[in-house]
Amino acid sequence: MRRRRRPGPMPEAHLMAHLRSTVWGPAEFVGLPPWWLAAEGLLVGCLGAGAIVGAAVVGAWYGIPGLAGGEGGLVCAVALVLYLCVVRAGRALVGIVALLGVCLALQAPQAAVGLVLAERGRVESAVVTAVEGGPGALSGRGRYLCSVADSDGVPLKVRIWRGCGQATQPGDELAVVCDAKGHVPPRGMEAGTSPSGPLRGLGGWAATLVTACVVAVVRSYRLSRTSSGPPGRQASAAGPDRAAQPPPC
């Protein structure tokens, strides 16, 4: 009489485990992650966020259009995503890092302009020539936008919304901050602006990006020698005693 074979593991369970490992990362360690792995993720995140913001600041300071417009920050975000793909981080976490990197790269140029104007901007008087926008406007986020001209009557290429309100009329004067070197467009005067103030708004995005990088790198840890990750990421996390035990017969 033949014995019935015991049913092997269900293929669905292996499939779900593979999907979880691919989407979120295998995280093949017990307990807390190795300290060097968390340090690697923190270093990668800080370098990525710093490069994205730094590219925008350098571009605005020296008048480099490719960096000032955010293109350099986008390249840094792509490089960060490629690194996570090389270490085979979870696809969902890679996507989150990519989204946060793009958002940071798109917001950094405006903050960089504010930093440049706070450092070397000079305050000039401009005459309002027209007022547009307001709460009922389809564009401008409900802001009032003032077209202005300098003291020589030359119209500025940008419209000012800081200091422009409902009571502003053509012929009024507005305080405008202009870059002494002309690398960034002028802005309306803001009271109490500090040199580091424009970059504070990026702190939340940068901190979230760094956190996502730490999680992605930590969860990319693999013990299997068959994985194609870097050799240092495949070292046994079970300790020397377990690694010294002979394999079961």
Side-chain angles (χ1 to χ4, degrees), residues 99-239:
L99 178 61
L100 293 173
V102 170
C103 292
L104 183 62
L106 294 179
Q107 295 192 25
Q110 291 297 323
V113 170
L115 177 64
V116 172
L117 292 178
E119 286 288 346
R120 67 182 185 204
R122 64 171 183 264
V123 181
E124 298 181 357
S125 179
V127 180
V128 178
T129 58
V131 180
E132 302 175 1
L138 299 178
S139 60
R141 301 179 182 178
R143 298 169 177 169
Y144 288 94
L145 303 175
C146 290
S147 300
V148 297
D150 60 14
S151 57
D152 297 330
V154 179
L156 300 183
K157 297 180 180 181
V158 296
R159 292 184 296 178
I160 306 298
W161 64 267
R162 295 175 177 87
C164 182
Q166 183 178 5
T168 306
Q169 300 292 332
D172 295 345
E173 292 188 354
L174 291 180
V176 178
V177 184
C178 300
D179 180 19
K181 296 185 177 181
H183 292 332
V184 298
R187 282 184 175 181
M189 182 65 181
E190 284 185 301
T193 301
S194 62
S196 61
L199 297 180
R200 292 178 183 175
L202 301 178
W205 287 102
T208 307
L209 177 61
V210 172
T211 302
C213 289
V214 172
V215 175
V217 172
V218 167
R219 291 196 60 87
S220 69
Y221 189 81
R222 286 173 171 82
L223 294 177
S224 174
R225 291 183 178 273
T226 59
S227 61
S228 60
R233 313 178 73 84
Q234 301 167 9
S236 174

Side-chain angles (χ1 to χ4, degrees), residues 8 14 82 204:
H14 289 287
L82 289 178

